[in-house]
Amino acid sequence: MTLLYIVLATFAGGLLSVLVAASLTVGVLTRLVKSLVSLSAGILLGTSLLNVLPEAFESHTAQPQALFAVLLGGLLFFWLLEKVELYRHTHHHEDDGHHHHHHFDAEQAGRGGLTVLVGDSIHNFCDGAIIAAAFLADARLGFATALAIVMHEIPQEVGDYIVLLNAGLSRSKALLFNAISGMSSVVGGVLGYFLIGSFDGALPYLLVAAASSFIYISVADLLPQLQQRLAWRDTLAQVAWLGVGLGVAFAVSQLLHGTH
């Protein structure tokens, strides 16, 4: 049953982002990404700090110093992966305040297209392994982690889809590339189930590594995107969506830890 949950959760993450991109216009997607970036920042931060890390530290099978060392190493590891462009979490949209130079999108999807696909596939593979580790620790934590990843995957994949469309690719090709990249999370989830399941003692460390991924994405990518000078209504909207994300994570933490 755990393996089925992992497959369904990882498959849903990749499929849902593609369905959202396929069903909406580029204009609507652009507005949607702006809101979902704030929402996913709140959910990722809340899930990592209120759910995943407490679950790891409550295991009592690993020393806190060792777990903090893994957290530090994870942050540095994901920074290095992104530095060599193998860990992408793009949330590109027009009018994003970044003032992209001419043909930016064409370069991103053209000359760097292979890097985009490889980077996103590695990212999604890691997400699948994270979901597997969470389900192996606790089914409720698995669902909470899957929710956080799905909410992050939607703006990420939609952002890549917009880049590919602006580069001149057809909707069908852009969606196909996103779908192929998204399905690597299923592979990561299945492999994670069989590999991690044999090493129960490693679960706390893997959960901390997962939390480091969520924290890094939040503070290195999502929150900086929200540090723009905006009208007060847009700022309030950002704060509101961020608060909704934190509220969801807090509600899940009450369900997870309030019943222990």
Side-chain angles (χ1 to χ4, degrees), residues 174-188:
L175 291 171
L176 176 62
F177 290 156
N178 271 355
I180 292 173
S181 172
M183 288 304 99
S184 63
S185 63
V186 179
V187 178

Side-chain angles (χ1 to χ4, degrees), residues 189-229:
V190 173
L191 287 179
Y193 171 80
F194 288 107
L195 295 177
I196 297 170
S198 303
F199 303 95
D200 291 340
L203 270 178
Y205 301 100
L206 293 173
L207 290 177
V208 171
S212 71
S213 170
F214 289 176
I215 294 171
Y216 179 79
I217 290 171
S218 299
V219 301
D221 177 53
L222 300 180
L223 291 180
Q225 289 192 48
L226 305 181
Q227 293 293 92
Q228 303 174 22
R229 188 179 298 276

Side-chain angles (χ1 to χ4, degrees), residues 32-33 38 69 99 105 117 145 148 169 190 214 228 233 250:
L32 182 66
V33 168
S38 300
H99 306 294
D105 293 325
L117 290 176
T145 302
L169 273 69
V190 173
F214 289 176
Q228 303 174 22
R233 288 186 179 181
F250 177 76

